[in-house]
């Protein structure tokens, strides 16, 4: 049977290729001239490359037809050992004068461990030259490198003793060597396009690589598409999609990740063309959030975001869209499978929103209690992986009442669930520091919406400490990304301190550029404990700048007011006098006005 796209090819040519299955090749030579001549003539006639697979017994076991540029190189194996060669040689045509093995040819040879890979140049139906490659073996182990021979004249193709070559290779492989288990990580290819968000496409793909590795994938290749207009059907264009399909085959990749958001049609078309799972940046971020969520609230928020994102992209084909019933007695308008799925998702979204509304009320009650106790709240915000959790842990360790640490790691979105801890400032006053989820470029809108109950900690805080990675070349772009999210949640007018972190490894130029553009900057290093006391002093001066100190004289008949002031945590001293209780308080103007009739002149 002939594999590949045979549409439009005359039966005469297909029959000629089918006849090759009956041809017994001499197992001593690389490939018989009869086979070379047939695939060269047919390849030229149909203007498509052809690949032929031959096992060590000289039997042709597969024939694949590609397009005019490439031939599909699919995985096939007759291995006798997991550590041995594939047992199959691959011979394919190049419709040009260039018989050299291409990069995809060499990659396929290495990844699929073919006995040999042969390329034949075809000019006007006549084979002109050939080259072949085989794997490098050192110390009994197959290396991810290849030896390339040629190009040579096609007349010399029968002079290559294939059996001698493969026997020598097999003898040099040490089968008793310790078996290395293959990685269980998904192999992925990254695809990016130019954007105008301040990042170069290379920097953007590097961040996408970090996201993919955080999700547990192994990045095997990056593809850049320079396209001024987005293709509505394929995003990157059908030609580039076919190019990635070949690349995916040669690299044995499991998935392709796009750096931009794809719609349902684009995802479906790309998966059909490339032949594997295709996901976008948003789906990847949602997957990371799903892995990181530990609390019930975090899990609810992630599920809500995933469902909202999936709903408009829910598509299907064929029987997936069919009516739920069929046959006599079941005809009628009915409800399609797709409609049932969408209805179930909408119902689940409704339930999740109700659950999160309860969480929102609980958080609101907790915030009211903190306000009644006059304990200010400071919220850490910043780009993901800038050191917010490290800073929070250091402050807790040095100045906190609760030494419990949160996860700190050099990975994106290490922290997802919000935590709040009490820190004692140099003056002895207490404040609450709240660590929040990190922000990132192209943060999914549905994710921002789902996490609003968590992000309200930022909106309701008394002060924001915006942590910046001073060592990052794109620090200013990251600051603007965070500011954009703060505007989305209504926190853009909050008083803010910019904490430039990692000054121990940052370049002076980076720090000067940040300080030249933004005010209220404090240079710190959380991990080296540099200037953390200065940061706390700055926090104190901002939070308590509106604190007023007053002296009250409370009559003994109103002694309950003293208890109320103690509950507000604002009493500095009290003294029992003949006329009443003299109380010194430090608090806000609102509290002072409430008890102004007791003020001492």
């Amino acid at each position: 049977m002939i594999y590949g796209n045979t549409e439009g090819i005359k039966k005469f040519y297909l029959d000629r290729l089918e006849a090759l299955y009956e041809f017994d090749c001499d197992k001593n030579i690389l490939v018989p001239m009869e086979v070379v001549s047939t695939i060269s003539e047919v390849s030229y006639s149909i203007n498509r490359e052809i690949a032929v697979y031959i096992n060590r017994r000289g039997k042709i076991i597969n024939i694949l037809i590609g397009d005019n540029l490439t031939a599909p190189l699919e995985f096939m194996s007759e291995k006798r050992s997991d550590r041995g060669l594939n047992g199959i040689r691959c011979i394919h045509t190049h419709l040009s004068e260039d018989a050299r093995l291409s990069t995809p040819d060499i990659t396929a040879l290495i990844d699929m461990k073919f006995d040999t890979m042969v390329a034949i140049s075809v000019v006007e139906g006549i084979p002109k030259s050939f080259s072949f490659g085989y794997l490098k073996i050192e110390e009994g182990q197959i290396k991810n490198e290849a030896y390339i021979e040629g190009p040579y004249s096609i007349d010399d193709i029968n002079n290559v003793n294939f059996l001698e070559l493969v026997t020598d290779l097999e003898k040099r492989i040490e089968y008793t060597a310790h078996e290395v288990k293959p990685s269980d990580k998904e192999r992925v290819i990254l695809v990016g396009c130019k954007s105008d968000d301040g990042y170069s496409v290379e920097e953007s793909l590097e961040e996408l690589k970090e996201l993919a590795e955080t999700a547990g994938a192994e990045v095997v290749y990056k593809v850049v598409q320079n396209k001024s207009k987005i293709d509505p059907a394929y995003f990157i264009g059908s030609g580039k999609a076919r190019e990635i399909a070949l690349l995916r085959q040669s690299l044995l990749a499991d998935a392709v990740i796009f750096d931009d958001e794809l719609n349902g049609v684009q995802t479906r078309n790309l998966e059909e063309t490339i032949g594997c799972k295709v996901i976008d940046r948003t789906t990847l971020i949602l997957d990371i959030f799903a892995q990181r969520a530990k609390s019930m609230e975090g899990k609810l928020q992630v599920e809500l975001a995933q469902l909202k994102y999936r709903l408009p992209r829910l598509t299907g084909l064929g029987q997936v869209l069919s009516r739920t019933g069929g046959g006599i007695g079941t005809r009628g308008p009915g409800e399609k499978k797709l409609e049932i799925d969408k209805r179930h998702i909408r119902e689940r979204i409704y339930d999740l929103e109700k659950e999160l509304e309860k969480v929102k009320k609980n958080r609101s009650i907790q915030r009211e209690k903190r306000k009644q106790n006059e304990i200010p709240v400071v919220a850490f915000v910043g780009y993901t992986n800038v050191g917010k959790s490290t800073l929070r842990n250091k402050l807790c360790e040095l100045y906190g009442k609760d030494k419990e640490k949160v996860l700190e790691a050099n990975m994106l979105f290490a922290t997802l669930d919000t935590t709040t801890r009490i820190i004692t400032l140099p003056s002895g006053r207490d404040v609450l520091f709240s660590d929040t989820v990190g922000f990132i470029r192209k943060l999914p809108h549905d994710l921002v919406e789902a996490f609003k109950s968590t992000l309200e900690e930022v909106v309701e805080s008394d002060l924001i400490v915006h942590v910046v990675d001073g060592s990052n070349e794109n620090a200013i772009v990251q600051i603007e990304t965070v500011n954009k999210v703060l505007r989305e949640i209504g926190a853009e007018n909050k008083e803010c301190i910019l904490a430039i972190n990692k000054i121990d490894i940052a370049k002076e130029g980076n720090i000067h550029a940040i300080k030249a553009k933004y005010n209220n900057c404090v240079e710190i290093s959380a991990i080296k404990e540099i200037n953390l006391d200065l940061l706390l002093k700055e926090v104190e001066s901002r939070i308590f700048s509106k604190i007023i100190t007053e002296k009250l004289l409370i009559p003994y008949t109103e002694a309950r007011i003293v208890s109320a002031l103690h509950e507000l945590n604002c009493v500095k001293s009290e003294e029992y006098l003949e006329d009443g209780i003299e109380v010194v308080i430090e608090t806000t103007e609102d509290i002072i006005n409430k008890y102004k009739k007791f003020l001492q002149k």
Side-chain angles (χ1 to χ4, degrees), residues 32-46:
M33 274 305 299
E34 293 91 332
V35 174
V36 171
S37 299
T38 300
I39 63 174
S40 298
E41 185 182 340
V42 174
S43 184
Y44 174 74
S45 301
I46 65 176

Side-chain angles (χ1 to χ4, degrees), residues 468-537:
V468 183
D469 181 358
S471 66
N472 194 300
E473 298 292 334
N474 292 306
I476 289 177
V477 179
Q478 292 183 351
I479 292 171
E480 291 304 315
T481 298
V482 173
N483 289 340
K484 180 183 175 184
V485 178
L486 291 176
R487 286 193 293 272
E488 282 185 37
I489 63 176
E492 70 272 20
N493 296 321
K494 282 283 177 184
E495 194 164 2
C496 181
I497 297 173
L498 202 65
I500 305 175
N501 193 23
K502 305 184 185 180
I503 60 168
D504 53 312
I505 57 173
K507 295 178 182 176
E508 284 295 325
N510 272 17
I511 296 174
H512 288 318
I514 296 169
K515 293 177 74 174
K517 187 166 183 179
Y518 302 99
N519 300 320
N520 307 322
C521 297
V522 179
E523 299 175 35
I524 66 167
S525 171
I527 201 162
K528 296 288 185 179
E529 301 178 13
I530 300 173
N531 293 341
L532 298 188
D533 55 338
L534 294 180
L535 175 63
L536 290 184
K537 285 178 182 176

Side-chain angles (χ1 to χ4, degrees), residues 244-275:
I244 294 172
L246 174 67
L247 192 63
R248 197 275 307 170
Q249 283 185 3
S250 63
L251 295 174
L252 297 179
D254 303 301
V256 176
I257 304 175
F258 280 72
D259 194 31
D260 295 274
E261 196 169 296
L262 304 173
N263 61 39
V265 172
Q266 290 167 339
T267 303
R268 182 190 63 201
N269 291 342
L270 287 166
E271 285 185 344
E272 288 177 353
T273 302
I274 297 174

